[in-house]
Amino acid sequence: MRCFARRSLLTCLLLGSGCLDPSEPGNLVPKTVAEDDTLPRYTLRDGARIHLRTQGDPKNPTLITLHGGPGGDMRGMLGLGALSERYFVVYWDQRGTGLSERVPSSDFTVETYAEDLHELVQRFSADAPVTLFGHSWGAMYAALYIQRHPDRVGEAVLSEPGFLNAAIANETELFTFGLTAEGLSDLGWSEGAMSPDGDARADFLLSLGQGWSQPGYYEDPGDPDNFKAFRLGARAMRDLQSSAKADGKWNFDFSSGLDRFCEPVTLIGTTINTVIGFEHQASRHAPLFCDVELVRVEGEDHGWVNRHPERVIEVLRAHLGAYKGAR
């Protein structure tokens, strides 16, 4: 039923049959903080507004969540609220995605993203290192931050990072995109589909292909619960990935120096994910770290954070410092 409704809306959108006015905010996808004043937000140093929520006692250690993507949002992380019993938990939609304000394409660089996270670390935990929990792209983002600011991180939990440097990325068959390939395909980035509100239309089109675009990651690629989001960020996905490429090849390094970061790192891999699951994490990423504990999650796939947050909480309680004490 959900797929049928989405396809019907797409037909209305593309054929102009008058079902909805796609130029009106909120018709295709939820409004951002720029359009809905009731959404909680934080204004970054350059004026960009991001969707941000906190939970727990600010006197507790700060845990910052990093959602997947690039181009996802915090929705899949919100099931981790039980962690607020020991942590002050920060959830946020990264720059230009989710319910955060849409920004110029020039903002989508790893340098800008690293500065964004550093600003939040300084804002919410100025006097103590933070805990980072990242899933998928969010785990890569955590590694990037550790590389740039190792003294600001006290511990990190990385759930199935895709690849931490270009050498690993260029050797790994990570994506099998359909609608999301080549800038969401000719359909998604065509003049007709992109105007008058290009971001809303592109974000909507990206959501149509998200479930089946990564079949090796999931037991059932068609399960809509594999990836939960309020609103995807199509340009964030396209432009941030493009900024990390040169001549069609990946060209980045989030891994150098990680072997000198000797605070605890928990590296998680699932057994069903055949692309970046446990075997990938054990062979490609674990050797990059100084102090790493590998966790094998049986019977789960890349969607485990979205579908089974209770299992994620169980794993985190077993490994986070506020629960088990210093290693």
Side-chain angles (χ1 to χ4, degrees):
M1 180 63 71
R2 184 181 305 180
C3 292
F4 175 78
R6 278 179 159 181
R7 288 169 184 153
S8 297
L9 183 54
L10 178 62
T11 300
C12 295
L13 169 66
L14 296 180
L15 298 182
S17 60
C19 300
L20 287 174
D21 181 356
S23 67
E24 287 297 318
N27 276 353
L28 286 180
V29 287
K31 297 177 181 179
T32 71
V33 294
E35 301 153 340
D36 183 350
D37 291 338
T38 67
L39 291 171
R41 83 273 315 280
Y42 177 86
T43 302
L44 293 166
R45 63 205 172 277
D46 60 354
R49 293 166 289 182
I50 58 172
H51 180 216
L52 184 146
R53 307 181 189 185
T54 62
Q55 188 173 10
D57 187 344
K59 295 178 182 177
N60 285 338
T62 297
L63 185 154
I64 298 181
T65 63
L66 298 167
H67 63 69
D73 68 26
M74 70 166 78
R75 184 182 172 195
M77 293 289 186
L78 295 177
L80 306 181
L83 298 176
S84 63
E85 64 194 357
R86 300 288 182 90
Y87 288 91
F88 179 63
V89 184
V90 179
Y91 312 95
W92 61 300
D93 294 344
Q94 295 157 22
R95 177 182 291 255
T97 190
L99 303 185
S100 291
E101 180 180 19
R102 295 304 182 261
V103 295
S105 288
S106 58
D107 282 14
F108 296 117
T109 68
V110 294
E111 289 76 17
T112 299
Y113 266 50
E115 290 172 8
D116 289 348
L117 181 50
H118 188 55
E119 182 172 346
L120 297 185
V121 170
Q122 296 294 86
R123 166 63 179 82
F124 292 107
S125 190
D127 299 324
V130 298
T131 295
L132 298 179
F133 171 62
H135 176 61
S136 194
W137 150 252
M140 297 171 59
Y141 194 176
L144 167 68
Y145 186 76
I146 291 168
Q147 182 188 64
R148 304 289 179 92
H149 301 281
D151 60 314
R152 301 299 292 121
V153 181
E155 60 182 342
V157 179
L158 311 182
S159 172
E160 296 198 328
F163 39 80
L164 297 183
N165 60 49
I168 298 172
N170 288 321
E171 294 172 3
T172 306
E173 187 68 31
L174 281 147
F175 302 111
T176 308
F177 284 137
L179 193 61
T180 53
E182 298 300 324
L184 308 185
S185 80
D186 293 339
L187 171 66
W189 290 103
S190 67
E191 184 77 20
M194 284 294 291
S195 60
D197 183 353
D199 280 311
R201 291 171 182 251
D203 294 350
F204 172 73
L205 288 169
L206 177 59
S207 72
L208 295 178
Q210 185 63 41
W212 47 264
S213 64
Q214 298 168 312
Y217 288 49
Y218 305 108
E219 183 174 29
D220 177 8
D223 185 346
D225 289 333
N226 287 336
F227 191 94
K228 295 179 181 178
F230 295 118
R231 173 174 173 175
L232 300 178
R235 279 195 301 114
M237 179 185 188
R238 181 194 66 175
D239 295 337
L240 194 57
Q241 290 190 27
S242 295
S243 76
K245 287 186 172 182
D247 298 323
K249 295 287 187 179
W250 294 105
N251 182 32
F252 69 96
D253 181 12
F254 297 172
S255 65
S256 61
L258 294 181
D259 58 340
R260 297 189 296 274
F261 174 75
C262 290
E263 301 300 331
V265 172
T266 302
L267 184 61
I268 301 171
T270 62
T271 58
I272 294 176
N273 186 342
T274 60
V275 184
I276 59 170
F278 180 80
E279 297 302 327
H280 176 82
Q281 303 306 326
S283 63
R284 307 311 301 271
H285 290 153
L288 300 173
F289 293 93
C290 168
D291 178 12
V292 64
E293 183 173 357
L294 269 168
V295 176
R296 178 186 178 100
V297 182
E298 298 285 347
E300 294 285 2
D301 61 26
H302 197 60
W304 79 302
V305 172
N306 296 285
R307 288 199 311 276
H308 299 134
E310 70 284 352
R311 288 204 69 182
V312 181
I313 291 169
E314 179 183 353
V315 170
L316 294 181
R317 282 175 172 159
H319 293 89
L320 287 176
Y323 289 98
K324 63 179 293 188
R327 297 189 195 184

